[in-house]
Amino acid sequence: MGIPTRHFDALIIGAGGAGLNAALQLAGADLRVAVVSKVFPTRSHTVAAQGGVNAALANVLPDSWHWHMFDTVKGSDYLGDQDAIEFMCREAIPTVYELEHAGVPFSRLDDGKIYQRAFGGQSQNFGGDQAARTCAAADRTGHAILHTLYQQNIRARTHFFDEFFAIDLVRDAEGVICGALVLEIETGEPLLIESKATLLATGGWGQVFRTTSNAHINTGDGAAMALRAGIPLMDMEFFQFHPTGIAGKGMLITEGTRGEGGYLINKDGERFMERYAPRAKDLASRDVVSRAIVTEVKEGRGCGENGDYVMLKLDHLGEAVISKRLPGIRESSQIFAGVDPVIEPIPVFPTAHYAMGGIPTDRFGRVAMPAGHGSEEVVVGLYAAGECACASVHGANRLGGNSLLDILVFGRLAGKDIIEYVRENPYQRTVDSASLEQAMGRLRRWEHKGEGPTVQQLRADFRKCMEDHAGVFRTEEIMAEGYNKLCELRDRLPEVRLTDQSKVFNTARIEALELENMMDVGMSIAVSALHRQESRGAHSRPDYPARDDQTWLKHSLYYREGDRMDYKPVRTKPLTVESFPPKERVY
Amino acid sequence: MNDASRQASDTELEIRRLRWQCRRGMLELDHLLDRFLDLGYRDLDPAQRLAFVRLLGEQDQRLSDWFMSRTEPPDSELRRLVRHIVDVVRERRGGSVDLHG
């Protein structure tokens, strides 16, 4: 077909923390590694991670990987795989030291050791006193890690394809993944990258919801590529929402605002959290506060012209407290909400923050899926790591400080496993022409001319539908209605037309391809959520308010074909220690 | 094509090239830069346009610090531009929030 082709030992799609840490292992082992990124690598969403990385270094307070493991299993509401969690908590320690040696400027204690801060959900001695487990580089840990890894990759001669958009995976005649078709954004020309192993590290998909804290790039491209390749997505119903994002915009307003005495009010000026959580009030858990906000809006007590948000009141704290204890909140509110919190309240609504589910992998980053008769099979040649993957360490809810840890540990381990895989499989397989043709078809579809809805129109309808029907408020009725609406929107997708058919820097075409990805991934969330009839972690059902271990202590698997659901057991047996049996979660 | 329409068409081509550079790792920057490209870029003079391109070449964390007034850009041209972008993009409250921006 005459498509230009390049060959590499390994192809990595995505240049955030997971992709770059994997690339560094590979380049360090003298493999030829290509990293494809739709934006310049240091503009990946990892840069927005402020918090830090958990590792039981015990530099500030006593700690052990085993306590870290306990906290993570409990935080996951027992849906996390305990072998993967043990592995991650053990590997956290060498991973952080490796980053330190690579040059990440971690904050230090007076004795020179890495400083560690305390975060919610961290305990000593299996649920005892507060632990201090999070290693941070001031309040810009993600930035520091991303830049260090990028510089190290440049030094190791990783080949970067910056501003290339991945279209689809390609296979050989036996179905083995052997690279991907990508698109150079500047020229609009396709390029086939053939590789012996391919790693998906494309990050999350917060953009499927109208209100999200995620950057515009987070459109679930890798997860959608996996779906189209026939691979299921796991535990997609588990999505973490932060209760206070700036309404209609999504930027986070830190929980510290409520910790300092800020509180939520509805259009009548009522402090409504007193009704939902009489004791904890505005400091109740994230899911309780999020659902209360949505309930106020649904029952007509929302603020503004459309009654679709509530207000966070801070002015009673005074200018000094706001400026000193809540830095950045005033600027952020003024710029994005047009209000000065010293004088008036901030319009807020729950904002989609983090995806716990994703492409199912084992603890070496190898994509694995059911092969019938209860067994699992590795998808040969394909790996996934980072937020797009689900090694199942977060289960139904993620702990603060465990997301950077996840991307770094499993990026690193995927890199190491790929080295072995390429040694054992040194020959490049031949891409099947039908597979390539299918990928090209995805591009050509957008050359259809004529009248039809626009990408922007469908995108706005879709994201609103996801927010209303698959967001924080999940009853059978709301979700079933949402599924029908999403099916209608999906049926409209083939009618969408681009008015601009040019090639050079045609970002409208990229946005169209992203919309396709978002709609596939969004549907996986909606269908998985509709089926899970219990409340667990971030998945909260008013019509099934209790956790049901008898029926639902299992992972969801969503297949794109026929919106089919399947399930597989949670791996409750750790690698070397005793299991933590499910218990009621009390903090 | 007369001079005015040629200039306008060149500007649209520039905007098209710059659009993808406004895709960043932080939502705050996406919002500020992308909105400014639509609302304010056309009104910049040639020197200011060059400064905007220079601004896009900066690291995300640095840009975030500048926009959120944690630090200031090193030169006066970028300082002025950062203030101008914030001023153009800043949400104005007229009784309701623009929920679809």
Side-chain angles (χ1 to χ4, degrees):
Chain A
M1 244 186 311
I3 298 170
T5 305
R6 301 284 302 268
H7 295 90
F8 291 89
D9 292 319
L11 165 62
I12 294 173
I13 302 174
L20 291 187
N21 212 14
L24 195 55
Q25 311 299 323
L26 294 161
D30 283 336
L31 264 64
R32 298 188 64 238
V33 52
V35 175
V36 166
S37 179
K38 68 177 176 178
V39 292
F40 190 73
T42 52
R43 295 176 193 168
S44 302
H45 195 46
T46 300
V47 80
Q50 296 180 340
V53 190
N54 290 341
L57 306 181
N59 287 353
V60 173
L61 291 170
D63 208 352
S64 106
W65 64 263
H66 201 185
W67 302 347
H68 182 187
M69 179 188 170
F70 167 83
D71 292 338
T72 305
V73 171
K74 180 182 170 190
S76 81
D77 220 349
Y78 300 92
L79 195 75
D81 284 347
Q82 296 195 22
D83 54 350
I85 294 174
E86 178 182 341
F87 185 71
M88 178 179 79
C89 297
R90 283 174 175 274
E91 286 293 322
I93 297 163
T95 300
V96 165
Y97 287 138
E98 192 176 282
L99 286 172
E100 182 187 27
H101 295 151
V104 174
F106 284 112
S107 303
R108 301 278 163 183
L109 293 161
D110 289 342
D111 64 4
K113 289 181 178 170
I114 294 173
Y115 167 75
Q116 296 190 277
R117 64 167 70 131
F119 256 33
Q122 300 177 351
S123 74
Q124 297 182 49
N125 215 3
F126 311 107
D129 292 344
Q130 175 73 44
R133 191 173 290 143
T134 308
C135 312
D139 62 348
R140 48 203 60 196
T141 314
H143 163 83
I145 288 172
L146 195 62
H147 276 260
T148 304
L149 290 175
Y150 181 63
Q151 296 302 338
Q152 294 286 350
N153 269 286
I154 293 291
R155 208 171 70 166
R157 301 194 175 181
T158 297
H159 190 106
F160 282 94
F161 289 89
D162 295 340
E163 300 186 343
F164 279 70
F165 186 86
I167 304 295
D168 255 330
L169 297 167
V170 290
R171 296 173 181 270
D172 73 354
E174 291 171 29
V176 175
I177 304 290
C178 47
L181 181 72
V182 304
L183 180 78
E184 184 174 13
I185 296 172
E186 180 177 0
T187 62
E189 295 296 337
L191 171 72
L192 175 62
I193 300 181
E194 294 189 357
S195 60
K196 295 161 192 167
T198 303
L199 171 70
L200 295 170
T202 54
W205 40 83
Q207 283 292 322
V208 305
F209 295 101
R210 187 183 70 148
T211 309
T212 177
S213 65
N214 285 196
H216 290 172
I217 48 178
N218 289 25
T219 53
D221 304 331
M225 284 165 71
L227 277 178
R228 286 192 295 272
I231 296 159
L233 296 182
M234 187 161 109
D235 294 341
M236 292 299 284
E237 62 272 44
F238 299 102
F239 205 100
Q240 198 172 67
F241 285 81
H242 193 291
T244 54
I246 291 180
K249 300 288 194 303
M251 295 83 182
L252 287 181
I253 298 289
T254 166
E255 258 146 359
T257 51
R258 282 170 287 135
E260 290 294 337
Y263 58 86
L264 295 160
I265 53 173
N266 61 20
K267 73 170 182 185
D268 305 318
E270 182 203 6
R271 187 175 178 179
F272 60 84
M273 281 311 301
E274 290 178 342
R275 268 189 282 119
Y276 297 89
R279 280 178 57 209
K281 296 180 188 153
D282 297 84
L283 297 176
S285 66
R286 282 184 178 182
D287 63 310
V288 171
V289 180
S290 294
R291 245 178 312 125
I293 293 172
V294 176
T295 304
E296 289 300 295
V297 165
K298 275 183 187 301
E299 295 182 355
R301 293 185 295 277
C303 307
E305 209 170 297
N306 301 314
D308 52 1
Y309 56 87
V310 298
M311 293 287 205
L312 175 61
K313 189 171 149 47
L314 301 179
D315 57 299
H316 57 286
L317 301 178
E319 185 174 351
V321 170
I322 293 174
S323 300
K324 193 173 163 207
R325 302 232 190 102
L326 302 168
I329 293 300
R330 195 170 179 189
E331 287 76 13
S332 201
S333 306
Q334 285 175 324
I335 297 173
F336 301 113
V339 302
D340 182 351
V342 168
I343 301 165
E344 51 189 331
I346 312 167
V348 293
F349 195 76
T351 187
H353 188 52
Y354 183 85
M356 269 75 73
I359 305 160
T361 70
D362 64 14
R363 63 178 187 275
F364 308 107
R366 299 181 297 192
V367 175
M369 59 187 282
H373 311 294
S375 61
E376 281 220 308
E377 230 169 50
V378 163
V379 180
V380 179
L382 186 64
Y383 291 75
E387 192 172 337
C388 77
C390 184
S392 192
V393 289
H394 308 304
N397 217 346
R398 172 188 65 91
L399 290 188
N402 268 359
S403 55
L404 278 178
L405 178 61
D406 171 11
I407 70 178
L408 294 166
V409 164
F410 292 104
R412 178 171 177 261
L413 269 297
K416 288 186 185 297
D417 203 83
I418 291 171
I419 294 168
E420 293 303 311
Y421 175 80
V422 170
R423 279 196 187 126
E424 287 162 18
N425 298 272
Y427 302 108
Q428 174 64 47
R429 290 167 176 267
T430 308
V431 174
D432 179 41
S433 59
S435 168
L436 182 55
E437 183 52 34
Q438 200 173 11
M440 280 299 292
R442 192 171 170 233
L443 261 186
R444 278 197 291 264
R445 170 260 174 274
W446 290 104
E447 289 166 10
H448 293 172
K449 294 188 172 68
E451 294 291 305
T454 65
V455 169
Q456 286 70 22
Q457 241 175 326
L458 194 60
R459 188 173 181 272
D461 291 349
F462 160 72
R463 297 173 79 218
K464 175 83 167 67
C465 184
M466 285 296 296
E467 182 162 298
D468 290 347
H469 297 278
V472 295
F473 203 91
R474 295 176 169 180
T475 62
E476 187 85 19
E477 191 190 353
I478 284 172
M479 289 193 292
E481 189 190 338
Y483 175 66
N484 290 333
K485 282 188 180 174
L486 285 174
C487 288
E488 284 168 26
L489 292 170
R490 185 167 60 182
D491 289 345
R492 271 167 61 196
L493 189 55
E495 298 161 17
V496 176
R497 294 288 178 270
L498 285 180
T499 47
D500 179 357
Q501 301 277 346
S502 60
K503 283 193 166 174
V504 176
F505 267 114
N506 186 348
T507 51
R509 181 157 71 151
I510 302 297
E511 283 167 10
L513 293 162
E514 287 176 334
L515 175 64
E516 287 177 333
N517 291 338
M518 285 197 285
M519 290 185 75
D520 276 343
V521 174
M523 189 59 103
S524 74
I525 296 171
V527 174
S528 305
L530 175 61
H531 281 78
R532 184 174 285 272
Q533 295 178 329
E534 66 158 352
S535 291
R536 183 186 298 271
H539 175 68
S540 180
R541 298 268 314 241
D543 46 356
Y544 297 96
R547 194 177 80 194
D548 176 3
D549 291 330
Q550 197 71 32
T551 316
W552 288 104
L553 188 60
K554 58 187 180 185
H555 296 298
S556 307
L557 293 167
Y558 165 88
Y559 290 81
R560 182 172 181 259
E561 197 180 0
D563 293 331
R564 181 167 67 86
M565 291 303 302
D566 192 5
Y567 295 91
K568 70 175 188 182
V570 173
R571 297 164 69 94
T572 51
K573 196 170 162 16
L575 298 172
T576 65
V577 293
E578 292 287 308
S579 292
F580 293 110
K583 282 188 183 158
E584 193 186 344
R585 280 195 315 163
V586 183
Y587 284 105
Chain B
M1 195 186 276
N2 62 29
D3 278 358
S5 62
R6 188 175 298 116
Q7 256 178 19
S9 133
D10 285 352
T11 299
E12 294 318 304
L13 195 67
E14 264 172 52
I15 286 179
R16 205 183 158 93
R17 286 184 176 278
L18 294 176
R19 177 78 60 195
W20 203 251
Q21 303 304 313
C22 296
R23 283 276 195 119
R24 313 300 289 213
M26 299 179 186
L27 180 68
E28 288 80 356
L29 298 178
D30 280 335
H31 188 80
L32 282 160
L33 297 171
D34 195 54
R35 293 260 284 177
F36 181 76
L37 197 60
D38 287 327
L39 301 176
Y41 183 77
R42 289 176 185 81
D43 300 327
L44 298 182
D45 66 30
Q48 289 170 320
R49 287 185 183 189
L50 282 175
F52 185 69
V53 171
R54 194 150 65 87
L55 190 76
L56 291 179
E58 292 287 347
Q59 293 176 6
D60 282 5
Q61 187 65 57
R62 219 160 176 218
L63 289 176
S64 170
D65 287 346
W66 292 347
F67 282 120
M68 295 299 142
S69 308
R70 284 189 287 262
T71 57
E72 282 210 316
D75 65 83
S76 59
E77 196 177 30
L78 288 185
R79 275 200 293 277
R80 275 197 305 275
L81 181 60
V82 163
R83 276 198 297 268
H84 179 57
I85 291 172
V86 168
D87 197 46
V88 168
V89 175
R90 182 194 298 271
E91 200 61 48
R92 268 134 188 114
R93 299 266 290 157
S96 74
V97 184
D98 167 16
L99 286 178
H100 306 285

